[in-house]
Amino acid sequence: MADAPPHHEEQPLTIIDATPAATPVPAQSTYQTRVADYWNAEENPVNLELGKIDDLYHHHYGVGDVDWSVLDDGTDPATRGERITAELHRLEQAQADLLASHLGPLSPADRVFDAGCGRGGGSVVAHLRYGCHADGVTISRKQADFAAEQARKRGIDDRVRYHHRNMLDTGLKSGAYAASWNNESTMYVELDLLFAEHARLLRRGGRYVTITGCYNDTYGRASREVSLINAHYICDIHPRSEYFRAMARNRLVPVHVEDLTAATIPYWELRKKADHLVTGIEDTFLSAYGNGSFQYLLIVADRV
């Protein structure tokens, strides 16, 4: 217990407003400011055109077998482009559904946390699957506003909310969440800081899920391809081993690990042929997966 303060002459009472002041920008590092600037300016067709199909906007890749009939030569070029776009969206939706399937069992009374939510598709998928409340956090004001408008249009904005905050320091209530996840957003932050925040937010026994690209420690250091991916997305891909070390340091115990590398390669092979959507990074991903330096993992962990 601290010593009693020395006696001073009584001062006039100051009233302090306990209501937190709204801050236009989350507390963040210079690097995170650059990341926010990147996503505030981003208008990539591979993110936007796919989402227009059903108003589920994702910022991740896809898994599963491709319906290669979308490339039939006899198809009108415009129709062919539409079919490729729809097939890529089907694959990315399959990825979102796969992640959501590992969050449960959840009830409509439960809350879930979407860290690095992008334009909000993952939170909507979880809500539609379980009926749960969802809080999505993104460091991009533009993404948060876009996602909030999508929730409003769907009439679910009372249960699915998006916040312009730093996922390392959300200000959300401790122990309030039954499940949380990162979908291809862990490479933008330090894993210890990230997992500490997830452990704080999750109730005991809560479930954490991530799908992420990581570099393969058995290959050695990060490969040239991994370095090119880092430069393309202004990120810092972590080694596979660091996920498990950082989880262990932050009360997250893996219960399921799945290598999705083979399952995502068809997505990239199809995207490479989508002239209207390519970004120039497709061959780099395929080379990295092919030479074994890069992996696509699903990790499911319980908060103890």
Side-chain angles (χ1 to χ4, degrees):
M1 180 179 292
D3 293 336
H7 176 74
H8 293 290
E9 184 177 343
E10 186 173 345
Q11 299 296 318
L13 180 65
T14 301
I15 304 299
I16 299 175
D17 184 357
T19 304
T23 53
V25 179
Q28 57 196 21
S29 65
T30 301
Y31 163 73
Q32 289 175 311
T33 300
R34 287 192 63 205
V35 172
D37 290 344
Y38 174 88
W39 288 111
N40 283 330
E42 184 267 340
E43 291 286 342
N44 200 312
V46 79
N47 290 323
L48 294 173
E49 294 304 314
L50 277 61
K52 289 177 182 177
I53 292 173
D54 57 5
D55 289 331
L56 281 173
Y57 290 84
H58 300 295
H59 282 280
H60 56 71
Y61 311 127
V63 295
D65 295 329
V66 168
D67 176 5
W68 292 106
S69 71
V70 299
L71 298 178
D72 287 348
D73 293 336
T75 307
D76 172 78
T79 303
R80 183 175 186 267
E82 291 173 359
R83 293 184 68 197
I84 292 172
T85 300
E87 181 66 358
L88 287 170
H89 184 56
R90 184 184 69 81
L91 296 171
E92 69 171 1
Q93 183 61 36
Q95 192 262 33
D97 288 334
L98 175 64
L99 189 153
S101 72
H102 287 281
L103 297 173
L106 297 171
S107 75
D110 287 323
R111 303 197 74 89
V112 298
F113 169 54
D114 183 358
C117 64
R119 288 186 170 94
S123 294
V124 176
V125 169
H127 167 72
L128 294 178
R129 186 183 189 97
Y130 298 106
C132 55
H133 297 260
D135 286 295
V137 164
T138 171
I139 207 166
S140 164
R141 166 61 72 186
K142 182 178 180 180
Q143 288 183 341
D145 290 345
F146 183 96
E149 177 62 14
Q150 292 301 309
R152 187 194 65 78
K153 288 179 178 178
R154 286 179 176 270
I156 59 174
D157 52 318
D158 60 329
R159 298 181 72 82
V160 179
R161 297 184 175 91
Y162 298 96
H163 312 273
H164 177 221
R165 301 185 188 182
N166 189 330
M167 64 178 166
L168 302 182
D169 184 17
T170 64
L172 299 173
K173 185 178 179 182
S174 297
Y177 294 86
S180 65
W181 69 91
N182 287 90
N183 199 345
E184 294 182 19
S185 55
T186 56
M187 60 286 298
Y188 288 101
V189 293
E190 296 176 47
L191 292 182
D192 267 307
L193 298 178
L194 174 67
F195 294 155
E197 183 67 351
H198 280 287
R200 184 185 72 80
L201 293 173
L202 286 169
R203 67 193 185 198
R204 190 175 184 89
R207 174 65 51 84
Y208 172 72
V209 183
T210 185
I211 294 181
T212 187
C214 55
Y215 77 75
N216 184 357
D217 301 76
T218 62
Y219 182 90
R221 301 294 296 171
S223 67
R224 175 179 179 273
E225 290 85 357
V226 169
S227 297
L228 289 171
I229 294 169
N230 280 336
H232 185 85
Y233 291 108
I234 321 178
C235 65
D236 186 13
I237 292 166
H238 304 289
R240 179 181 62 192
S241 61
E242 184 56 25
Y243 281 88
F244 303 101
R245 292 192 184 105
M247 284 183 178
R249 290 190 291 261
N250 290 282
R251 305 185 68 173
L252 295 172
V253 179
V255 294
H256 177 74
V257 180
E258 188 173 346
D259 186 349
L260 299 176
T261 304
T264 197
I265 287 174
Y267 163 91
W268 287 99
E269 291 175 335
L270 178 61
R271 181 166 144 177
K272 180 180 175 180
K273 298 179 183 297
D275 295 339
H276 59 304
L277 298 175
V278 293
T279 64
I281 200 65
E282 289 77 15
D283 279 330
T284 303
F285 269 87
L286 288 168
S287 178
Y289 289 138
N291 66 29
S293 65
F294 191 53
Q295 292 178 296
Y296 197 52
L297 288 190
L298 164 73
I299 306 172
V300 183
D302 286 342
R303 197 277 198 194
V304 297

